[in-house]
Amino acid sequence: MSKVSKRKLLSLAAFLAVGVAFGTQHFSQAQVGGGLDLSVPPLQVINGSTSVVYQHKYVSGAYGIAWRSAALWGSFWVNNLSLGDVDNDGFRELAAVLNYKTREVRIKGKKVYYYDQKIVVFENGCPDGGLPSWESLPLGESSSVADENTMIADVDNDGNNEIVLVKGRHIEIYDLTAGKLSPVMKGNDYPYPIFSIDAGDADNDGKDEIVLSIFHSGGPIIWKYEKGTGWSSKTAQPIPSEYYQAGFDWLNLDYARVRDADNIVDEFGNKGNEIVGGGNNDRLMIWKYDKQTGDYDLQFVSEDLGGFTQGVDAGDVDADRFNEVVIGSLRTGSAKKRVPGNLCIFTFNGVRYVKADSFPLDLDVSNLGLGDLDYDGRAEIALSCIPDPGLRIFDFIGSAGTGDIRLAYGGDGFGLEIR
């Protein structure tokens, strides 16, 4: 880049006591210095606040904020973040998409706000409190903001990474090779907002696709690039209306992740991916690609899990060499009669998915990620929580079906990516 300037949480009461004392407390705060270190292992969590980017890492036996940026301009949460080799120089960077308001006008008596965005990049070794080493020109004014879940991945499978961002109701893809910003693709506008994005080999052909979680869509939408024919999209099999939440006549899909959820190995010894999702129907939903028909078939819909399922991932949380699916739900009820949300763990028994564990949480899960953050062979469970922004990291103790979760760390910031 060129530079430009134990038993199910013991009890719910005990957990509530922890939650009250939590605030911005950090558990066993790591003392880390030396600037932004994007090396792995261990994996790291990145998130943001109104103006600052955070890196959380497990170092020398403790979690902590390993690095934070200088305050960045912009009037929204800095949570459009991703880690990866965004400029294709062979080294990992941290990229952020920043929103800022450009102007406001009145149209038919109503205020309409216009926004623009810039992509900024932090390189390995950036000092604590440092500024980005590179920033793009403005991406273009519109009435839309760039939303959560910016993604760095080789989505057109040309050997170079791209950066994908959500801008209102469409996606935009850019190539930042050698610090030169080149537009790759601007998707069509959907009738309803895109809540989040992911990238991965959804159809198990060895190439990455983009997966969109969209309101009113009925299922995830998969974008694929084929050399010679260009970009195309396909919607997975819609969720039947009987699985909608009472009072809703549509499905808002909040998160859909490309993950190996069933651990099935084919005749060639290869594992395949599924698409795991959650939304406003309070359920876990899983789709799988059918190579014979070319469709993404609905494989599983869980029971009602007690609240909007706004975070889902899959990984090996109990070190048994098989992935589990972990999903979180929001609390329900009024402030005076609050019903806790749930953190649920599902396993695949060779025939179907089974809910193995459910833990009450007196917080709202807005995003969820899994990764072996402390390098112990188990994936930790990281949560981004609302309405009080904050990062929570849990250890899973024991085996799926008989295990506990233990709060290991609480840090600042909102949103998250683990890489």
Side-chain angles (χ1 to χ4, degrees):
M1 281 286 177
S2 59
K3 295 188 177 180
V4 297
S5 42
K6 318 141 264 177
R7 286 276 187 264
K8 313 290 185 188
L9 281 179
L10 300 179
S11 69
L12 176 59
F15 187 85
L16 288 173
V18 171
V20 169
F22 206 105
T24 58
Q25 179 182 358
H26 299 76
F27 291 81
S28 59
Q29 176 73 47
Q31 300 300 314
V32 184
L36 180 62
D37 179 6
L38 298 176
S39 60
V40 288
L43 298 174
Q44 53 232 275
V45 178
I46 55 167
N47 63 8
S49 66
T50 51
S51 61
V52 175
V53 178
Y54 298 105
Q55 179 199 41
H56 306 262
K57 216 169 183 182
Y58 186 87
V59 179
S60 301
Y63 290 101
I65 295 177
W67 172 88
R68 74 191 77 205
S69 73
L72 305 172
W73 48 261
S75 55
F76 304 97
W77 289 101
V78 184
N79 63 340
N80 307 313
L81 306 166
S82 190
L83 291 172
D85 185 5
V86 70
D87 61 355
N88 299 295
D89 65 349
F91 300 96
R92 284 157 54 97
E93 292 88 26
L94 193 165
V97 180
L98 304 180
N99 293 288
Y100 59 98
K101 188 171 73 173
T102 56
R103 60 193 175 98
E104 62 181 68
V105 298
R106 282 194 171 271
I107 299 177
K108 295 182 178 180
K110 294 184 177 180
K111 286 185 178 180
V112 177
Y113 300 98
Y114 286 85
Y115 308 92
D116 211 331
Q117 292 81 34
K118 285 185 179 182
I119 302 171
V120 301
V121 176
F122 297 91
E123 294 183 281
N124 206 50
C126 177
D128 193 55
L131 290 165
S133 60
W134 182 91
E135 68 177 42
S136 72
L137 294 173
L139 302 183
E141 186 187 64
S142 73
S143 58
S144 298
V145 298
D147 294 326
E148 189 178 349
N149 286 352
T150 297
M151 178 64 63
I152 297 171
D154 182 9
V155 293
D156 61 4
N157 300 285
D158 65 349
N160 284 335
N161 286 329
E162 292 78 37
I163 184 166
V164 187
L165 60 93
V166 174
K167 194 169 181 181
R169 299 183 178 188
H170 70 266
I171 60 171
E172 296 181 6
I173 305 174
Y174 295 90
D175 188 302
L176 274 69
T177 300
K180 179 182 179 182
L181 181 69
S182 302
V184 174
M185 189 269 276
K186 178 181 177 181
N188 57 283
D189 276 303
Y190 289 99
Y192 298 98
I194 302 169
F195 193 89
S196 68
I197 60 174
D198 194 32
D201 187 3
D203 60 4
N204 301 302
D205 68 347
K207 301 176 182 178
D208 281 352
E209 289 78 40
I210 302 169
V211 177
L212 309 182
S213 302
I214 299 184
F215 288 180
H216 291 246
S217 63
I221 296 176
I222 298 92
W223 279 84
K224 185 176 184 64
Y225 182 82
E226 292 284 4
K227 190 174 181 179
T229 58
W231 292 94
S232 62
S233 65
K234 178 185 286 287
T235 302
Q237 181 182 351
I239 298 295
S241 59
E242 59 261 34
Y243 295 115
Y244 291 0
Q245 182 57 269
F248 291 90
D249 58 2
W250 68 90
L251 173 71
N252 286 351
L253 187 66
D254 292 334
Y255 284 96
R257 306 296 198 205
V258 183
R259 301 291 188 268
D260 178 16
D262 63 12
N263 303 287
I264 292 177
V265 179
D266 66 17
E267 64 272 24
F268 304 106
N270 300 316
K271 288 186 176 182
N273 290 321
E274 289 71 46
I275 299 175
V276 296
N280 73 335
N281 63 346
D282 302 5
R283 301 172 189 270
L284 169 66
M285 298 160 280
I286 301 178
W287 293 263
K288 190 176 184 69
Y289 184 75
D290 186 329
K291 291 185 177 180
Q292 301 300 317
T293 65
D295 295 326
Y296 291 87
D297 296 334
L298 181 62
Q299 295 285 298
F300 176 76
V301 181
S302 76
E303 65 200 77
D304 190 317
L305 301 179
F308 288 2
T309 43
Q310 284 194 208
V312 61
D313 204 348
D316 185 5
V317 300
D318 62 357
D320 65 350
R321 298 181 293 111
F322 297 100
N323 284 349
E324 291 76 39
V325 181
V326 183
I327 190 164
S329 67
L330 274 66
R331 296 173 295 180
T332 59
S334 65
K336 293 183 178 180
K337 296 182 179 180
R338 185 75 71 188
V339 178
N342 291 292
L343 185 69
C344 299
I345 297 176
F346 285 79
T347 59
F348 186 73
N349 65 9
V351 178
R352 67 186 306 273
Y353 293 91
V354 177
K355 186 171 72 172
D357 297 282
S358 181
F359 306 101
L361 295 178
D362 191 49
L363 48 81
D364 292 323
V365 178
S366 67
N367 198 351
L368 182 154
L370 304 181
D372 187 0
L373 299 171
D374 60 6
Y375 206 44
D376 66 349
R378 292 171 176 255
E380 278 69 48
I381 304 167
L383 309 178
S384 176
C385 307
I386 54 174
D388 298 321
L391 171 68
R392 311 288 189 265
I393 296 175
F394 291 88
D395 289 321
F396 185 83
I397 310 299
S399 300
T402 60
D404 300 325
I405 57 173
R406 180 181 63 198
L407 186 62
Y409 174 70
D412 299 321
F414 182 74
L416 66 87
E417 179 177 274
I418 298 176
R419 280 201 189 185

